[in-house]
Amino acid sequence: MGEINKNDVEKYLENNPQFAKEYFDRKLRAEALGNIFKVNPGDVKDGISFKEMTKLEESHLLFELLMEIQDETVSLERTVHKVLKRLAQLLEADRCSLFIYRSRNGSPEVATRLLNVTPTSTYESCLIPPEREIFFPLDMGIVGWAAHTKKFYNIPNVKKNDHFCDFVDQQTGYTTVNMLATAVTQGKEVLAVIMAVNKKNAPEFSKADEEVFKKYINFISIPLKQYHTTYLYNIESRKSQMLLWSANKVFEELTDIERQFHKALYTIRMYLNCERYSVGLLDMTKEKEFYDEWPIKLGEVEPYKGPKTPDGREVNFYKIIDYILHGKEEIKVIPSPPADHWCLVSGLPTYVAENGFICNMMNAPADEYFNFQKEAFDETGWLIKNVLSLPIVNKKEEIVGVATFYNRKDGKPFDEYDEQITEMLTQFLGWSVLNTDTYDKMNKLENRKEIAQEMLMYQTKATPDEVESILQYRDKLEQECIEDCEERDLIKILKEELPDPKEVDLYEFRFSDFPVDEYDLIKCGIRLFFELNVVEKFKVPAEVLTRWMYTVRKGYRDITYHNWRHGFNVGQTMFTLLMTGKIKKYYSDLEAFAMVAAAFCHDIDHRGTNNLYQMKSSSPLAKLHGSSILERHHLEYSKTLLQDETLNIFQNLNKRQHEVVLHLFEVAIIATDLALYFKKRTMFQKIVDAIEKMEKEEDAIRYITMDPIKKEVIMAMMMTGCDLSAITKPWEVQSEVAIMVANEFWEQGDLERTVLQQQPIPMMDRNKADELPKLQVGFIDFVCTFVYKEFSRFHKEITPMLSGLLNNRVQWKARAEVYEQKLKALEEEKKKKEEAAAAKRGGGGGGGGGGEDDGKSKTCTIL
Ligand SMILES: [Zn+2]
């Protein structure tokens, strides 16, 4: 044979394929193959065949895949994409896809994760971001069916398959003809579904294709399983972190509910894996305070018709705590949030509070039922995407709040594990609330004990000697034992001891306690009940009445202003409003009795500091009562006295009468909390408006007496009128009382400075004593004028109070102006001095100036 050229060899090989195959299988050198396929030559042995080489090539690819699977920095989707690319090539499939299996709201679903994977497609073009994903339940499509049955399917013609559904085709504009599909599982759990679609160059996928498909699914299931295991591990560790936290924190610090919530939610924020969460706290009160019921009962406010919790409370979020975890961490507390606050406006928290459901919503802004804010909240551009909302339930099965979580940090929707982990969290919160509850109860008992002891220590019931000093049965009835005396005789000798009301002006608005000593004020107090004719009518034993009045006096502490004199004045004014002011006609004798008695007790055991101070100094009282702290204490104290039968002036009433009295005590005493004054003023004004238009007295009486709520509103306003009555007294009295009030305030201011280390407000700052006239004018204008103007309009007999008030305003105003003038003069003098000094300096080096000027001019020598 001559020389063989390249063409001849090619020709021979083409014509003898069998030979070519055998030759290459047998002879091809490893190094050459290594070069062709870029395989590491060390892996290739001499004499390796082509067939073996393709296997080698494949195993190398698989090895590369394995390496990638082991690399934790490569995402699950990227690895699966690589396998699917290869699979598409080997199967000659038009494309491959990955569907992820998950569960939300208790139902399973599948969602697109990688679509349209071809041998050449890029990862980015195939990955479906959460906001574009298509998801559907398991009863839809072959994918759903594969997930449901956990089996493998080779479907030559989808049109002939009952389970086929063109849902995804319609969404993507693709036409599926045939497919291979299988579920990837771990134990009993489905993790994903893999699909190869539309065989190229053949009508369907072959048996050999099935083998290749199944083989490669193994390489996909490894990363899927690994990812799932890591994910579950992560969930477990977050769970145990929370368990640990709960053991440490929940039971360690049992103080108040809100701090508890706050601390809990803040502590676990890193385990929550969401961008933001908010907690809405629900009002737990089932019954409203009497003053909040008034406007409804008077028909001024519509009764509540909105949603209610399963246990019948109005859905009222009184506070929202908003935790922002994306970007800069921040916590916002929103007290009394408006209904259109973004946390509430969707209606979802209300829905959850109403029904107690867990709601896991994907792409929440697109929801039609709920109205989520679609725009950005602030300049960060943060948007709501996915929302998981669930109730916080305590052990009593009451919904105490709603926790809402927004946007999982990885952008994916919340799944069943998120539901589990947040449910666990809200359960803990519920429990902690219960704990706080029981703790609160214990604490309240403790406080009660403390207060009771304090009460006993400070105040002792009037002694027999003290009672006898007024009720002189031994001297006057010549009996050794009071039990041996006739009640009629006791009443007689008691009355003899009491002052003449005319002599001490007991019927007058201008009454002053100054000429009467504190002991005689006890007698004056008893006298008022006789004047009301309630002692005989309600069979109040003379001894009990005397002991009660004496004990009430002793219940007042000897403080600067809120002492027995103030207590007596309020009782006397109540009496005067009823009798001289003619308000008695709307009330029964029993009611008048209770009102005057409550007025005497209204500030009993006052400590000379106000409600705010109780809160700031966390006094036992503040721990016991949530609002109207002192007023509730005065009420409790008064009721405690009445529980002692030897002090119970209402002992001969029947049960219903007794209830009336206790209710009036509550309304009257709580009403003296000036914070509630603004709630009742318009209600009172409306009653006065209506009365003013009536011509006949009977009409007015009927209008008021027919409606117990109107009577309560008027009584509450009377209490305010009595409590502030010092401002209506003759100037000689008012000017002195004002100094006493101011002194008590200044004493509190001193306590704030020393004990609480806080700067007191001007009213309580003794360094600003000169501002008193100005403060008095302000107090008259903003609070008092309304009260006495309306009372004068209500009953002209009460006009002396308004006149007194207006006179005092003139006095205070004059003094305020004098002070203003003085300040102005001082200011001007200062200004003149400064100008003179400046002029001197402006004159230049000539004068040389005194020492003072020299000292000042050091910084001003430029000119
Ligand atoms: Zn008072």
Side-chain angles (χ1 to χ4, degrees):
M1 291 169 73
E3 216 165 288
I4 302 165
N5 63 23
K6 199 177 154 197
N7 282 346
D8 295 334
V9 176
E10 268 182 21
K11 205 171 182 181
Y12 179 79
L13 288 175
E14 275 170 22
N15 292 333
N16 299 282
Q18 193 54 35
F19 172 80
K21 189 178 180 303
E22 278 167 20
Y23 177 82
F24 283 121
D25 277 355
R26 199 173 62 242
K27 287 283 184 188
L28 199 67
R29 283 184 63 85
E31 288 85 350
L33 279 168
N35 275 335
I36 295 165
F37 296 112
K38 297 193 175 58
V39 180
N40 183 353
D43 298 339
V44 185
K45 291 181 180 62
D46 269 346
I48 192 171
S49 70
F50 181 76
K51 202 172 179 179
E52 283 162 343
M53 185 54 223
T54 49
K55 275 183 188 158
L56 184 70
E57 182 207 9
E58 193 181 356
S59 62
H60 176 73
L61 276 168
L62 296 179
F63 180 70
E64 206 180 87
L65 278 174
L66 267 174
M67 292 300 287
E68 210 162 88
I69 289 164
Q70 286 193 9
D71 185 350
E72 280 157 18
T73 60
V74 177
S75 78
L76 161 76
E77 286 87 353
R78 202 178 271 279
T79 310
V80 175
H81 176 257
K82 208 160 202 171
V83 181
L84 289 182
K85 261 171 85 166
R86 177 74 177 153
L87 198 52
Q89 184 187 21
L90 290 173
L91 293 175
E92 291 184 280
D94 188 46
R95 48 192 67 184
C96 291
S97 315
L98 164 73
F99 294 83
I100 287 293
Y101 174 95
R102 67 173 174 237
S103 192
R104 288 188 304 136
N105 298 320
S107 25
E109 64 188 22
V110 278
T112 54
R113 184 57 53 80
L114 288 168
L115 273 187
N116 304 338
V117 182
T118 68
T120 53
S121 63
T122 61
Y123 168 66
E124 287 73 20
S125 67
C126 301
L127 182 73
I128 307 298
E131 64 273 16
R132 280 204 289 122
E133 74 176 24
I134 305 166
F135 62 98
F136 41 91
L138 298 198
D139 54 6
M140 250 176 90
I142 293 165
V143 178
W145 183 246
H148 179 68
T149 58
K150 304 172 190 170
K151 282 184 182 154
F152 165 80
Y153 294 95
N154 181 358
I155 297 162
N157 184 354
V158 295
K159 294 263 154 42
K160 288 182 182 164
N161 187 293
D162 291 341
H163 297 291
F164 179 71
C165 167
D166 61 356
F167 179 67
V168 178
D169 276 4
Q170 274 179 14
Q171 305 261 322
T172 55
Y174 185 76
T175 308
T176 306
V177 180
N178 49 43
M179 69 160 82
L180 296 173
T182 191
V184 179
T185 57
Q186 178 165 9
K188 284 178 185 168
E189 264 183 283
V190 182
L191 305 180
V193 175
I194 305 289
M195 247 168 83
V197 184
N198 293 0
K199 175 79 178 176
K200 287 193 284 196
N201 310 322
E204 58 180 70
F205 289 104
S206 64
K207 277 270 169 254
D209 290 333
E210 284 181 22
E211 291 311 309
V212 172
F213 185 73
K214 283 176 181 169
K215 186 165 120 191
Y216 271 78
I217 290 303
N218 288 318
F219 291 101
I220 293 175
S221 78
I222 294 169
L224 275 170
K225 283 176 183 172
Q226 193 193 20
Y227 173 81
H228 190 64
T229 310
T230 314
Y231 184 61
L232 287 183
Y233 172 76
N234 179 274
I235 296 276
E236 283 308 314
S237 70
R238 280 156 64 199
K239 267 190 199 170
S240 55
Q241 295 273 25
M242 292 217 289
L243 276 164
L244 252 175
W245 153 79
S246 64
N248 287 337
K249 301 282 190 266
V250 176
F251 305 106
E252 153 204 299
E253 196 181 330
L254 300 157
T255 48
D256 88 294
I257 293 179
E258 275 178 41
R259 263 184 68 197
Q260 189 98 340
F261 264 82
H262 202 61
K263 184 157 187 176
L265 284 161
Y266 184 70
T267 315
I268 43 83
R269 71 197 184 287
M270 58 274 243
Y271 313 127
L272 285 173
N273 193 29
C274 64
E275 292 182 348
R276 193 164 184 157
Y277 57 100
S278 68
V279 171
L281 299 177
L282 281 167
D283 196 341
M284 293 306 289
T285 45
K286 283 182 186 147
E287 277 169 39
K288 288 189 164 166
E289 295 284 355
F290 63 84
Y291 42 81
D292 288 325
E293 292 274 16
W294 283 344
I296 301 163
K297 288 184 176 164
L298 287 172
E300 287 170 9
V301 174
E302 281 279 297
Y304 182 83
K305 291 203 185 83
K308 288 189 172 178
T309 58
D311 60 316
R313 279 172 292 129
E314 296 178 6
V315 174
N316 173 24
F317 291 99
Y318 71 92
K319 190 170 283 182
I320 285 177
I321 312 170
D322 178 22
Y323 300 80
I324 305 165
L325 303 181
H326 65 96
K328 207 172 129 237
E329 235 178 54
E330 201 184 335
I331 300 169
K332 291 179 182 170
V333 178
I334 305 113
S336 324
D340 63 351
H341 187 272
W342 74 266
C343 284
L344 301 177
V345 76
S346 66
L348 182 64
T350 305
Y351 178 81
V352 172
E354 206 180 349
N355 299 295
F357 297 151
I358 296 178
C359 288
N360 184 355
M361 307 184 65
M362 228 173 96
N363 194 11
D367 191 88
E368 283 167 10
Y369 186 78
F370 296 109
N371 180 29
F372 283 95
Q373 180 161 330
K374 293 175 180 62
E375 319 80 54
F377 286 76
D378 49 38
E379 60 286 347
T380 65
W382 186 78
L383 294 167
I384 295 179
K385 283 178 230 154
N386 305 320
V387 179
L388 173 59
S389 189
L390 54 171
I392 303 170
V393 180
N394 67 13
K395 271 268 174 78
K396 285 183 255 167
E397 309 245 337
E398 296 158 332
I399 301 176
V400 297
V402 173
T404 309
F405 303 86
Y406 302 94
N407 301 3
R408 223 170 86 161
K409 273 201 171 136
D410 57 8
K412 291 170 187 171
F414 293 107
D415 60 23
E416 61 183 313
Y417 301 105
D418 296 304
E419 290 172 14
Q420 278 172 17
I421 205 162
T422 49
E423 196 179 357
M424 197 181 78
L425 167 66
T426 51
Q427 230 168 47
F428 273 129
L429 292 176
W431 290 353
S432 73
V433 171
L434 183 88
N435 264 316
T436 324
D437 265 12
T438 43
Y439 181 79
D440 262 8
K441 266 182 212 144
M442 271 160 43
N443 218 11
K444 271 191 182 169
L445 279 176
E446 276 300 301
N447 282 316
R448 239 179 249 283
K449 234 165 75 187
E450 229 171 89
I451 291 162
Q453 272 165 358
E454 240 181 288
M455 255 158 95
L456 280 174
M457 275 203 299
Y458 195 81
Q459 116 101 40
T460 36
K461 197 162 113 180
T463 62
D465 283 352
E466 283 169 338
V467 175
E468 203 192 330
S469 73
I470 295 174
L471 193 59
Q472 299 160 18
Y473 61 93
R474 250 185 276 250
D475 282 358
K476 293 190 172 174
L477 300 174
E478 291 169 354
Q479 293 277 6
E480 271 312 296
C481 194
I482 197 162
E483 281 81 19
D484 297 334
C485 301
E486 286 285 328
E487 181 58 31
R488 206 180 37 213
D489 297 335
L490 286 172
I491 293 283
K492 190 170 154 271
I493 58 158
L494 175 57
K495 273 182 165 174
E496 284 167 13
E497 205 46 37
L498 305 177
D500 178 356
K502 299 273 174 331
E503 269 172 35
V504 278
D505 283 348
L506 284 181
Y507 278 86
E508 305 299 330
F509 287 114
R510 62 162 189 272
F511 167 83
S512 166
D513 61 283
F514 290 173
V516 189
D517 72 34
E518 290 180 356
Y519 178 74
D520 284 338
L521 286 178
I522 302 171
K523 296 178 183 172
C524 289
I526 299 170
R527 166 58 76 193
L528 295 183
F529 291 111
F530 280 104
E531 293 301 303
L532 279 173
N533 281 320
V534 294
V535 183
E536 282 104 333
K537 183 168 183 180
F538 299 107
K539 301 191 179 67
V540 190
E543 185 195 0
V544 174
L545 179 61
T546 310
R547 189 180 291 115
W548 176 81
M549 197 75 247
Y550 210 126
T551 306
V552 169
R553 182 267 165 272
K554 289 178 82 183
Y556 279 89
R557 300 189 181 195
D558 288 325
I559 51 177
T560 315
Y561 176 67
H562 287 100
N563 48 39
W564 163 234
R565 286 184 179 273
H566 169 67
F568 178 85
N569 274 302
V570 172
Q572 186 272 337
T573 314
M574 178 55 83
F575 171 82
T576 311
L577 278 172
L578 287 166
M579 306 303 275
T580 313
K582 302 272 194 305
I583 299 183
K584 171 72 180 62
K585 62 187 175 193
Y586 309 113
Y587 296 93
S588 69
D589 289 339
L590 181 66
E591 286 164 337
F593 184 15
M595 284 156 78
V596 175
F600 279 134
C601 294
H602 88 284
D603 267 336
I604 200 162
D605 199 39
H606 199 291
R607 287 99 198 273
T609 47
N610 65 9
N611 283 336
L612 196 62
Y613 185 83
Q614 310 304 318
M615 284 197 266
K616 286 199 282 195
S617 62
S618 8
S619 74
L621 284 182
K623 286 181 194 139
L624 192 55
H625 307 295
S627 62
S628 306
I629 299 167
L630 283 166
E631 291 74 15
R632 283 184 205 284
H633 174 63
H634 306 318
L635 173 66
E636 289 287 314
Y637 200 113
S638 319
K639 280 158 72 176
T640 309
L641 295 185
L642 294 174
Q643 276 160 17
D644 182 335
E645 279 305 287
T646 65
L647 289 171
N648 186 7
I649 49 174
F650 304 109
Q651 59 181 251
N652 288 319
L653 302 183
N654 65 34
K655 193 165 171 270
R656 211 198 62 79
Q657 287 173 315
H658 213 267
E659 280 165 8
V660 168
V661 167
L662 286 187
H663 177 67
L664 290 182
F665 257 68
E666 182 186 346
V667 176
I669 295 179
I670 303 301
T672 58
D673 182 356
L674 215 50
L676 305 176
Y677 160 69
F678 295 93
K679 287 197 176 195
K680 66 192 177 201
R681 54 189 264 167
T682 43
M683 284 185 267
F684 179 62
Q685 194 168 35
K686 277 184 187 161
I687 296 170
V688 177
D689 285 346
I691 292 291
E692 213 175 27
K693 290 189 199 98
M694 294 176 190
E695 280 172 13
K696 284 192 223 144
E697 196 190 359
E698 305 94 83
D699 293 343
I701 295 176
R702 200 176 310 117
Y703 174 75
I704 289 171
T705 53
M706 294 293 281
D707 187 349
I709 303 303
K710 291 197 183 82
K711 284 165 68 177
E712 285 183 15
V713 172
I714 296 167
M715 180 183 75
M717 201 48 124
M718 286 166 82
M719 286 300 292
T720 305
C722 296
D723 207 10
L724 306 178
S725 62
I727 200 91
T728 69
K729 299 284 174 183
W731 173 248
E732 314 80 70
V733 177
Q734 154 60 193
S735 54
E736 278 197 49
V737 176
I739 298 292
M740 288 195 278
V741 177
N743 266 307
E744 198 175 284
F745 280 154
W746 294 334
E747 284 154 21
Q748 179 177 328
D750 295 343
L751 283 176
E752 288 180 6
R753 243 192 300 264
T754 54
V755 179
L756 304 178
Q757 290 171 343
Q758 285 174 4
Q759 174 62 32
I761 56 168
M763 188 172 82
M764 300 198 175
D765 188 348
R766 64 171 73 250
N767 302 322
K768 290 175 182 154
D770 287 342
E771 290 180 25
L772 178 63
K774 192 180 88 184
L775 290 169
Q776 288 295 94
V777 173
F779 183 56
I780 290 171
D781 290 350
F782 294 114
V783 181
C784 308
T785 307
F786 175 89
V787 179
Y788 300 104
K789 228 182 199 160
E790 290 306 301
F791 269 116
S792 312
R793 210 154 64 86
F794 184 45
H795 278 197
K796 63 177 189 319
E797 294 84 352
I798 305 172
T799 315
M801 294 189 98
L802 180 63
S803 314
L805 173 83
L806 295 176
N807 179 57
N808 289 330
R809 190 188 185 281
V810 172
Q811 298 284 352
W812 286 121
K813 183 80 182 158
R815 280 154 187 81
E817 268 162 15
V818 169
Y819 177 63
E820 284 298 306
Q821 292 297 335
K822 221 162 92 188
L823 270 190
K824 225 174 166 182
L826 277 173
E827 197 67 32
E828 264 165 33
E829 206 177 318
K830 199 176 150 201
K831 214 168 138 193
K832 266 185 202 152
K833 263 191 187 163
E834 277 172 4
E835 277 169 5
K840 243 183 189 174
R841 286 196 297 277
E852 191 191 37
D853 273 351
D854 274 342
K856 274 186 184 171
S857 59
K858 270 175 192 160
T859 52
C860 280
T861 45
I862 304 145
L863 291 173

